[in-house]
Amino acid sequence: MTVNGEERSLDLDPRTSLLDALRDDLRLTGTKKGCDHGQCGACTVLVNGRRINSCLTLAAMHDGDEITTIEGLGAEDNLNELQAAFVECDGFQCGYCTPGQIMSATGMLNEAAEGMPSHVSADLNDGVDLSDAEIAERMSGNLCRCSAYPFIRKAISSVATKEAAE
Amino acid sequence: MKPFEYVRVNDLISAAGALDEKSEIIAGGTNLLDLMKLQVMAPDKVVDITRIPGLDKIEPKGEGLRIGTLVKNADLAADPRIRTGYPVLSRALLAGASGQIRNKATTGGNLLQRTRCPYFYDPEMACNKREPGAGCSAKGGVSRMLAILGTSEDCRAAHPSDMAVALRALNAMIEIRRKNGDTYQLAMDDFYRLPGDRPDIETNLKDGEIITAVILPRPVIGVQSYRKIRDRASYAFALVSVAAVATVEHGLIQNASVAFGGIGARPWADLDVNAFLNGKEPSAELFGEAADLLLTAAITDEGNAFKTTMTRRALIAVMSEVTGLREASVGSDRVGEIA
Amino acid sequence: MNKHLKMDAPQPRVLDETRQGILGKGISRTEGPKKVSGSATYAGDNHPDGMAHGVLLRAGITKGKVTGFDESAAQKIDGYVGLFHGPKFIRNNAQGMADEAPVQPDCEVHYHSQPIGLVVAETFEAARDAALAIKVSYDEEGALVDPKSAPQEDQGGPDVGDLEADMGRADVTVDEIYTTEAQVSAAMELHGSVAQWNDGKLLLQSSLQMLKFNRNEIADSLGIDPENVRILAPYVGGGFGSKLGIGADAVSAAIAARDLGRPVRVIMPRQTVFDAVLRRTETEQRVRLGARSDGTITSIGHDDLVSNLEGEGFAEPTSQASQFLYAAPNRKMQQTVSRNHRTPSGSVRAPGEAVGMLGLEVAMDELAERLGMCPVKLRLQNVPERDPDSGVPFTAHSLTEALKRGAQEFGWKDRKANGARREGEWLIGMGVASAARKNMLLPAKARVTLDGDKAVVETDMTDIGTGSYTIFAQITAEALGLPIENVEVRLADTDYPEASGSGGSFGASSTGSAVFLACQSIREEIAAKCGANDFTLKDGQVTAGGKTTALSDLLDAPLSAVGEIEKGQTSEDHLSSGFGAHFAEVAVNEVSGEVRVRRMLGVFGAGRILNEKTAKSQLVGGMIWGIGAALTEEAAHDPRTGHIITRDLANYHVASHADVPEQIDTILLEERDDYANPIQAKGVGELGISGAGAAVLNAIYNACGVRVRSFPATPDKVMAGLDAM
Ligand SMILES: Cc1cc2nc3c(=O)[nH]c(=O)nc-3n(C[C@H](O)[C@H](O)[C@H](O)COP(=O)(O)OP(=O)(O)OC[C@H]3O[C@@H](n4cnc5c(N)ncnc54)[C@H](O)[C@@H]3O)c2cc1C
Ligand code: FES
Ligand code: FES
């Protein structure tokens, strides 16, 4: 598979989740484990551009796939727009859910751009207006126990607004 | 998780060939792996069907649609044909799980997801579904998430799917491929078994059989509605959910089809309730009577008795929106004549 | 060159005189770029060479003895290394500041799913499999798991005046029972440790909040000298009390690593975190209030029943805030502890206030209703002049101002009669509650070294999301007149001076004071060097007697000082507490009883704010915990085994994004607490939760007229009230 643009090949126990493969075999520990059961979102990565929980999939199933993790977005000294917005808006406290929030938001913005509706969309066919309530519903698969939620959404919304303007 | 053999197949024939009584298909993996990590499920072989071409399509079939088993929940909810013709299905899907999970979860996997009964999930607790004859520790336990209809002495688990509730209301059929390559269709009530004394056998799917698609009949004109009541605003399973479609003609209810989640051993529908509604003038009293009819057989305990009242109130509210007695809220969408 | 301060007298506001202008500013977290890029390393991210993986074994009974382990099936597993158990294993996490080993029960089991051993294997997959392959045999004994029928201990409590007599005389009374369910911290980072030994010394990378205590706890558990333990915890993924004391992960990893002569990592699965990390007890609270018809409260009673396991010294101090929040001549608060075999309880964010104020502040709402009085006014009218129990004066006290300011900013005057505001099927209402959280000062040390115009701060304090990295840099930059980029903060290594640790909201003010004192010492040194007492420091330069010199020119060698703080007389003759007011607007669905919080405002007086941005984040985080406590959080116990049934994040509902409104705002009142510490700051981490849930619950009542007294107010409970109407 390709991870953050780099071809990686691994010889793994079939039981290895994509999450554990990333963390323990590729030593990409930016992706976090908060539950290992799809219940928190800390392990969110992009597979072929779409967000998924890397804990609930086998690494072996991703032969040939393109994986993007937090390390693939921007390094400490070269943050992308969304990462920088999280810092600016204080979209985290302990930082543990943060890589998952950022990856999820990246995927979510793509979904919204494709016009995917959400549970709170008043009209299923009327296009997506990323209000705070829409962002909140779409990001609800990412728990944050520090409860930085409003600030996370401010960060996402600032980037969404900028993107929409462009 | 026990060690297993991982087999990736590229067509249905090899899929069927690879399947035996100790193997499991893996599609999205979001339910199977969840349970395998806890050793609630422990197949010797895992057959990956995700690379089989063609199973991820939504295509016209008769006056309705054929949804391939590998269509992702997210894609199904967003498909324009579903949104306009079967909005109750979009709504139910969007009410379930999270964006990430819906991006992985598949149609077939969603139908076959197993109960969220906490006693089933914990190998330290006795469970007849996990281990036939072991006993049911949910009885006398914490029962908030358990079913009140279709249960048995041996099992009180609820079916957790939202999608399946909408499909039940839409009278969807499940297309199954036999081991020999034939396909046949089952109505949902024939697909899901009630627990009885064998709660471990949940469907009539036989070894080597594969779900290939779900077939939707032609859209029901009128308002369709899905309402899910849950313990938090998002990312939680239903306490009670109701899916309903109906047409109102000359002031009378037609084509009423109502299904329920959170309360049944399977995605729950009661044909007597649908029949009772049809041909009548909509009113809150009528819907209350329908609820009484639905709930006469309910078996509850202290921990889930609230579900009868909650179901009743939800049914009245949903049917009121579907029949135009009340203004539609988010979750109710109108389906017009399809050109 | 050290500076030690015992807080025996109020302290001058030095930090209001300094010129750098960085303290209090809402600058972004200095470690932020690491956290958003995934390069901050948490305990479980460590992976030393040769590391083996451990998975904890859980007891399948509630009470009894382990009589044997059958490893035969596990031994057949590829990569199986071995099973570890024995007398050094601990029963549960150490209580906060225990400073010694928790109970080491050997083969005894005291609650269901107690960790009883560690399975180690070459890979995580093999270890997880092996842990389920080991058959454990037990001698099972009967267990009492119901707090009501288990043996109870009377813990006493304040008893002033004659509550019973006054309740009989009072014009208006409230005498109600409120219950709260067990809760958990559920920090997003799983509790985990990586242990490795070198020359008889243990290096432990663990997810912990209070390292100086943790070091002694682990040493005592293992029976080794604390000198031989070094703990590192540079990043901790939330704690909220759950990581105050060491856990089974740390002790078992250390034991296995020593035996195996290789590093071992143990990360608790989420379910084990529920099973075996200290929870917040369920409570049953009887609140009694008596008042004259003019709204003067004459009686406050707050009795509570909580549980904990035998041998645990902690009991949720449920009535802590009730003891000083309002004045009343007759006061009685009686605590009872049930000794049962549920997962033991300990500190979870704002122990005491978080649940006690739900009872008290909902009762206040009921009293206002019965008096026919505005709930804000009732509170304002009963703000005490002095601590009602001890009679000592309060330090800075902003309850009145917070209530008034909040009512105004929130639009409280637009609050309608119960059930009078509706939008479609949603009924809208407003609620208010006071906030209070007692302020504490713990002994703390920190070293600051100034080399030219660059400073380094070193202390074993942790940053669990609380902003320690950032605010210590701000304090240092402010006190020494340096650009913030010139300050490096090194934390969470037991080789550094011993800090307070992070807990009880005392971390920033206690250890921040130590940092400040170290800077003070350096400032004195600088003064001596320029030969002037009157000087200013700014941007790396010192100005004295009209002359400006660069610090790098002034100093020919680095200056280093350790600051040390401890509490003194001021905490005897004053009561220091954070205060505030919460306002909430909710919508109640008239069909389902589902509740949505639409907006919230918290107004707080918490002394000097060290960083406006991070302080607000923590306060808002606390308010959101209040939403969870009011509406969704419930650790349900199986009635037969006591086992927690909602033991994962799908069944235990912490607030999700969708439960939190966009409008959740805070106002920080300008305040200085001169008696608290030399930086005049008080805790913020727990003040935000204290009372927040009660504002939500009171808003439900205003919205629809349903009074729920058993919390959380889940849809079924609200719906039952609606259905009865
Ligand atoms: C945290 C969390 C929250 C959730 N919340 C909700 C919710 O609110 N509402 C809801 O409805 N669901 C919810 N889900 C469940 C989710 O919808 C299911 O996990 C998902 O739909 C399963 O689909 P899958 O493709 O991943 O199935 P898999 O895990 O791949 O498979 C599930 C089962 O189906 C079998 N199977 C799959 N495909 C076929 C086939 N074609 N033929 C025969 N057998 C097949 C597999 O062998 C397996 O036994 C939640 C899940 C999680 C983890
Ligand atoms: S670790 Fe994958 S969702 Fe929690
Ligand atoms: S920042 Fe701590 S959990 Fe989200």
Side-chain angles (χ1 to χ4, degrees):
Chain A
M1 59 192 178
T2 310
V3 182
N4 301 330
E6 224 179 291
E7 196 82 44
R8 307 298 290 256
S9 94
L10 288 168
D11 186 17
L12 294 173
D13 186 324
R15 290 176 289 184
T16 312
S17 67
L18 177 59
L19 173 60
D20 289 331
L22 290 170
R23 288 178 53 79
D24 277 335
D25 296 286
L26 298 177
R27 305 287 168 96
L28 292 169
T29 52
T31 308
K32 302 299 183 207
K33 185 186 283 189
C35 70
D36 220 11
H37 287 272
Q39 302 165 354
C40 76
C43 65
T44 306
V45 300
L46 302 184
V47 173
N48 303 328
R50 290 181 78 164
R51 56 177 172 159
I52 64 156
N53 299 120
S54 62
C55 67
L56 280 190
T57 189
L58 298 172
M61 296 176 76
H62 294 283
D63 193 9
D65 282 347
E66 222 169 278
I67 318 282
T68 312
T69 69
I70 188 75
E71 289 91 347
L73 291 195
E76 200 180 326
D77 52 3
N78 184 29
L79 303 179
N80 81 7
E81 212 176 351
L82 190 57
Q83 290 170 309
F86 266 68
V87 176
E88 173 59 30
C89 300
D90 214 28
F92 54 89
Q93 290 171 42
C94 77
Y96 197 77
C97 72
T98 313
Q101 301 277 359
I102 293 175
M103 296 314 295
S104 184
T106 306
M108 183 276 288
L109 291 172
N110 294 341
E111 290 163 13
E114 285 169 28
M116 285 186 163
S118 90
H119 172 63
V120 299
S121 307
D123 187 327
L124 289 172
N125 299 298
D126 201 21
V128 180
D129 164 29
L130 276 186
S131 63
D132 181 74
E134 279 283 359
I135 298 177
E137 166 57 27
R138 290 163 192 264
M139 289 296 296
S140 279
N142 291 83
L143 302 179
C144 174
R145 188 52 159 167
C146 296
S147 301
Y149 296 123
F151 311 107
I152 293 171
R153 294 191 326 244
K154 239 171 237 147
I156 298 171
S157 163
S158 72
V159 172
T161 316
K162 236 185 254 169
E163 276 179 9
E166 275 160 19
Chain B
M1 193 181 291
K2 291 228 165 105
F4 57 81
E5 184 193 352
Y6 170 76
V7 183
R8 185 187 299 151
V9 294
N10 294 313
D11 55 58
L12 283 166
I13 299 174
S14 26
L19 289 172
D20 55 42
E21 72 276 20
K22 290 204 158 163
S23 59
E24 291 285 342
I25 286 175
I26 191 163
T30 59
N31 190 235
L32 182 66
L33 294 173
D34 182 21
L35 293 168
M36 282 173 65
K37 287 183 185 193
L38 302 168
Q39 286 192 16
V40 171
M41 292 178 81
D44 288 347
K45 194 197 293 178
V46 168
V47 181
D48 179 357
I49 62 168
T50 56
R51 309 275 172 131
I52 300 179
L55 294 182
D56 60 350
K57 296 208 160 38
I58 304 173
E59 53 205 6
K61 168 126 184 164
E63 288 179 288
L65 290 175
R66 179 176 181 279
I67 302 160
T69 189
L70 290 180
V71 174
K72 303 281 197 302
N73 288 178
D75 295 329
L76 184 57
D79 187 273
R81 293 162 289 184
I82 302 294
R83 285 197 244 173
T84 49
Y86 310 89
V88 65
L89 179 55
S90 285
R91 291 288 179 190
L93 284 160
L94 294 171
S98 67
Q100 290 96 313
I101 292 171
R102 293 193 297 269
N103 274 340
K104 267 247 128 198
T106 63
T107 312
N110 192 317
L111 287 172
L112 287 173
Q113 66 172 295
R114 307 194 65 190
T115 183
R116 307 299 289 202
C117 171
Y119 296 92
F120 171 71
Y121 258 80
D122 185 352
E124 285 294 344
M125 303 282 142
C127 172
N128 288 321
K129 195 185 262 308
R130 227 177 34 238
E131 206 185 319
C136 169
S137 47
K139 198 157 61 186
V142 177
S143 62
R144 184 174 184 76
M145 297 310 289
L146 302 183
I148 59 171
L149 287 168
T151 57
S152 72
E153 259 310 287
D154 289 328
C155 184
R156 309 179 51 204
H159 195 278
S161 172
D162 288 295
M163 179 194 82
V165 175
L167 288 178
R168 180 65 196 84
L170 291 169
N171 288 310
M173 301 290 286
I174 298 172
E175 182 189 282
I176 298 162
R177 181 190 185 278
R178 288 204 176 85
K179 196 148 189 155
N180 68 12
D182 298 348
T183 59
Y184 67 105
Q185 294 184 11
L186 281 181
M188 290 182 67
D189 287 355
D190 298 325
F191 178 74
Y192 290 112
R193 291 165 49 114
L194 291 179
D197 58 2
R198 285 306 299 272
D200 55 314
I201 310 176
E202 294 169 357
T203 68
N204 286 318
L205 207 59
K206 293 188 238 351
D207 280 344
E209 291 190 338
I210 301 169
I211 296 177
T212 44
V214 167
I215 314 286
L216 292 177
R218 65 185 295 232
V220 179
I221 307 300
V223 175
Q224 304 188 352
S225 182
Y226 190 71
R227 181 183 289 244
K228 179 177 184 179
I229 302 171
R230 45 183 157 174
D231 276 331
R232 77 179 158 197
S234 187
Y235 207 17
F237 287 91
L239 293 169
V240 168
S241 75
V242 181
V245 301
T247 315
V248 180
E249 265 174 57
H250 311 299
L252 300 179
I253 301 172
Q254 306 291 348
N255 306 322
S257 181
V258 195
F260 303 85
I263 61 170
R266 65 181 178 206
W268 198 257
D270 186 329
L271 296 182
D272 293 342
V273 170
N274 294 344
F276 172 79
L277 291 168
N278 279 330
K280 300 214 176 71
E281 206 176 305
S283 71
E285 295 72 53
L286 179 77
F287 303 143
E289 285 168 36
D292 293 341
L293 186 61
L294 171 79
L295 295 163
T296 41
I299 297 174
T300 62
D301 68 19
E302 206 190 325
N304 62 15
F306 70 88
K307 288 190 175 180
T308 55
T309 315
M310 194 173 267
T311 304
R312 190 169 199 281
R313 295 172 72 91
L315 173 61
I316 295 172
V318 167
M319 282 308 295
S320 298
E321 291 192 21
V322 167
T323 56
L325 279 190
R326 281 171 60 160
E327 208 182 315
S329 62
V330 178
S332 296
D333 308 88
R334 174 166 293 282
V335 176
E337 289 300 336
I338 309 267
Chain C
M1 204 181 79
N2 295 336
K3 193 168 187 80
H4 174 246
L5 175 69
K6 187 157 185 255
M7 274 304 289
D8 286 328
Q11 295 297 306
R13 300 174 183 179
V14 175
L15 292 170
D16 285 329
E17 308 299 323
T18 50
R19 296 290 173 79
Q20 191 63 27
I22 185 75
L23 192 61
K25 278 235 170 84
I27 63 165
S28 297
R29 285 172 208 262
T30 52
E31 84 289 9
K34 280 194 163 38
K35 286 179 173 170
V36 299
S37 62
S39 51
T41 44
Y42 299 78
D45 296 341
N46 294 292
H47 196 142
D49 287 343
M51 184 181 86
H53 300 255
V55 170
L56 289 163
L57 264 188
R58 58 191 277 235
I61 60 167
T62 303
K63 187 166 187 298
K65 284 193 178 56
V66 174
T67 54
F69 297 92
D70 176 1
E71 280 181 84
S72 52
Q75 278 157 348
K76 295 198 189 95
I77 290 172
D78 219 17
Y80 180 68
V81 172
L83 169 68
F84 297 84
H85 58 94
K88 294 212 175 337
F89 268 65
I90 59 173
R91 178 178 77 177
N92 47 258
N93 286 48
Q95 296 287 350
M97 302 188 267
D99 222 21
E100 60 181 15
V103 172
Q104 295 172 296
D106 200 356
C107 55
E108 284 183 29
V109 176
H110 297 158
Y111 62 95
H112 199 283
S113 297
Q114 174 186 315
I116 52 172
L118 183 78
V119 172
V120 179
E122 295 295 340
T123 63
F124 167 63
E125 289 76 18
R128 180 176 56 190
D129 186 10
L132 288 167
I134 292 188
K135 300 271 168 295
V136 187
S137 46
Y138 306 95
D139 260 349
E140 196 171 351
E141 296 161 27
L144 292 168
V145 297
D146 177 2
K148 299 273 234 185
S149 54
Q152 299 186 346
E153 277 170 23
D154 181 351
Q155 305 276 81
D159 187 354
V160 183
D162 189 340
L163 183 97
E164 273 82 12
D166 184 68
M167 287 290 288
R169 287 192 299 265
D171 295 335
V172 177
T173 61
V174 170
D175 182 355
E176 298 288 352
I177 304 282
Y178 304 90
T179 59
T180 64
E181 299 299 332
Q183 301 169 350
V184 296
S185 293
M188 289 305 302
E189 181 200 12
L190 297 164
H191 294 237
S193 299
V194 178
Q196 41 192 322
W197 293 80
N198 224 321
D199 290 337
K201 289 189 193 303
L202 171 67
L203 175 66
L204 187 72
Q205 291 164 304
S206 187
S207 186
L208 292 166
Q209 296 178 226
M210 307 185 83
L211 301 194
K212 81 170 165 202
F213 299 99
N214 303 142
R215 170 151 94 160
N216 294 336
E217 289 155 6
I218 189 99
D220 190 31
S221 302
L222 300 173
I224 60 173
D225 187 338
E227 286 295 306
N228 291 332
V229 177
R230 181 175 177 207
I231 306 180
L232 303 178
Y235 295 97
V236 178
F240 316 110
S242 66
K243 296 168 182 169
L244 293 177
I246 57 153
D249 54 318
V251 175
S252 64
I255 291 171
R258 185 169 53 186
D259 261 44
L260 295 169
R262 62 191 282 201
V264 172
R265 179 168 84 193
V266 178
I267 301 173
M268 291 186 183
R270 177 57 68 185
Q271 293 83 350
T272 306
V273 175
F274 274 88
D275 291 339
V277 171
L278 305 175
R279 70 189 171 109
R280 190 199 305 278
T281 175
E282 72 290 332
T283 70
E284 182 181 288
Q285 307 172 33
R286 180 184 185 193
V287 182
R288 285 177 285 182
L289 298 173
R292 291 202 293 265
S293 54
D294 68 354
T296 306
I297 298 177
T298 53
S299 276
I300 301 179
H302 194 167
D303 304 333
D304 65 291
L305 172 68
V306 298
S307 32
N308 212 344
L309 199 52
E310 198 65 60
E312 296 302 315
F314 176 87
E316 182 89 17
T318 311
S319 66
Q320 189 157 266
S322 308
Q323 295 175 20
F324 65 86
L325 189 52
Y326 304 115
N330 306 290
R331 330 167 53 77
K332 191 172 179 183
M333 322 221 168
Q334 175 85 27
Q335 179 162 63
T336 309
V337 179
S338 162
R339 294 293 177 193
N340 55 52
H341 294 275
R342 294 181 165 189
T343 293
S345 64
S347 295
V348 173
R349 199 175 199 171
E353 288 86 344
V355 280
M357 291 191 74
L358 297 179
L360 177 69
E361 288 296 292
V362 172
M364 284 293 284
D365 204 59
E366 302 211 45
L367 182 64
E369 173 86 15
R370 291 176 204 185
L371 283 162
M373 200 170 161
C374 163
V376 174
K377 187 155 174 269
L378 173 66
R379 287 172 171 85
L380 285 172
Q381 194 169 324
N382 289 284
V383 175
E385 292 286 318
R386 293 171 160 256
D387 173 26
D389 273 351
S390 65
V392 303
F394 289 105
T395 65
H397 187 299
S398 301
L399 179 56
T400 300
E401 193 186 343
L403 284 162
K404 288 186 174 161
R405 180 82 186 275
Q408 191 181 356
E409 302 280 339
F410 195 69
W412 181 254
K413 62 178 182 349
D414 299 331
R415 180 173 179 260
K416 303 270 183 304
N418 296 340
R421 216 178 128 196
R422 154 191 300 275
E423 291 173 19
E425 62 182 35
W426 295 92
L427 300 161
I428 321 293
M430 289 187 202
V432 64
S434 299
R437 172 72 184 161
K438 221 172 191 164
N439 187 52
M440 288 177 271
L441 179 66
L442 255 75
K445 293 184 205 159
R447 183 190 305 119
V448 176
T449 306
L450 179 66
D451 187 356
D453 61 357
K454 294 204 164 42
V456 174
V457 180
E458 291 166 322
T459 159
D460 78 359
M461 180 66 185
T462 48
D463 186 335
I464 61 172
T466 40
S468 311
Y469 281 108
T470 314
I471 58 184
F472 295 168
Q474 283 175 282
I475 291 169
T476 306
E478 185 64 50
L480 298 181
L482 302 174
I484 187 99
E485 310 75 56
N486 288 16
V487 185
E488 182 192 344
V489 179
R490 300 177 188 157
L491 299 180
D493 177 341
T494 47
D495 282 355
Y496 297 147
E498 296 177 338
S500 57
S502 184
S505 300
F506 47 64
S509 53
S510 302
T511 307
S513 292
V515 171
F516 168 74
L517 291 170
C519 293
Q520 273 290 65
S521 171
I522 291 175
R523 285 167 57 91
E524 283 164 15
E525 199 102 349
I526 291 172
K529 282 204 193 291
C530 1
N533 272 330
D534 200 14
F535 66 100
T536 56
L537 291 166
K538 190 166 190 301
D539 297 332
Q541 296 178 318
V542 54
T543 305
K547 206 174 120 228
T548 298
T549 321
L551 277 175
S552 44
D553 292 336
L554 183 74
L555 305 177
D556 36 30
L559 298 176
S560 186
V562 173
E564 183 176 2
I565 184 95
E566 66 179 306
K567 71 174 182 182
Q569 199 53 39
T570 58
S571 58
E572 302 289 321
D573 51 27
H574 283 81
L575 194 156
S576 171
S577 174
F579 288 98
H582 292 284
F583 293 81
E585 182 178 296
V586 307
V588 177
N589 187 286
E590 69 170 345
V591 173
S592 63
E594 287 168 295
V595 177
R596 300 283 181 264
V597 177
R598 305 222 307 187
R599 57 192 186 101
M600 263 179 117
L601 173 68
V603 185
F604 304 103
R608 183 195 301 277
I609 297 301
L610 304 171
N611 179 317
E612 197 189 343
K613 196 188 276 194
T614 61
K616 284 195 162 183
S617 286
Q618 277 203 77
L619 287 162
V620 167
M623 289 160 72
I624 293 171
W625 275 55
I627 297 178
L631 301 179
T632 59
E633 289 187 41
E634 170 172 4
H637 293 269
D638 182 79
R640 298 146 305 182
T641 60
H643 185 216
I644 296 174
I645 294 302
T646 51
R647 58 197 277 277
D648 61 25
L649 294 173
N651 286 293
Y652 183 88
H653 296 124
V654 308
S656 73
H657 267 286
D659 296 283
V660 178
E662 179 176 23
Q663 275 189 61
I664 179 159
D665 299 322
T666 51
I667 294 172
L668 305 176
L669 299 173
E670 195 63 30
E671 197 187 272
R672 298 283 183 272
D673 193 330
D674 302 328
Y675 294 85
N677 51 58
I679 59 176
Q680 289 86 28
K682 294 193 281 209
V684 297
E686 297 171 315
L687 184 58
I689 181 177
S690 303
V696 172
L697 293 160
N698 293 336
I700 294 175
Y701 181 68
N702 178 237
C704 66
V706 174
R707 181 70 76 184
V708 177
R709 297 192 184 88
S710 125
F711 315 137
T714 46
D716 49 314
K717 295 177 192 166
V718 179
M719 180 206 67
L722 292 166
D723 205 62
M725 269 151 74

